[in-house]
Amino acid sequence: MAVADVACKGQVHYTKTWQSVEAEYQRQSIQKRLQALESEQAGMRILLARVRRLTA
């Protein structure tokens, strides 16, 4: 059963297709939330700079 499952997935390129679809969903999600993500990243950079100054 498992051998047939693997063979079938190989024939229909299941893994490659799934990965491509998942990657596109992630790209769209990131694009929709890009401003919030960039803001969060900036805040994390500020926090990291403060920690570095305190621990230097």
Side-chain angles (χ1 to χ4, degrees):
M1 180 84 166
V3 172
D5 182 53
V6 170
C8 178
K9 287 179 179 176
Q11 290 172 351
V12 298
H13 309 287
Y14 175 82
T15 303
K16 184 176 181 179
T17 301
W18 181 83
Q19 289 175 339
S20 295
V21 170
E22 180 67 22
E24 183 57 30
Y25 281 138
Q26 290 177 13
R27 276 191 287 280
Q28 289 176 13
S29 180
I30 290 167
Q31 194 60 40
K32 286 179 186 177
R33 296 163 183 83
L34 188 57
Q35 188 174 15
L37 291 168
E38 287 174 340
S39 178
E40 185 69 24
Q41 184 180 38
M44 293 300 288
R45 287 185 177 142
I46 291 168
L47 180 61
L48 182 57
R50 288 178 183 162
V51 169
R52 286 183 175 150
R53 281 194 305 272
L54 290 170
T55 58

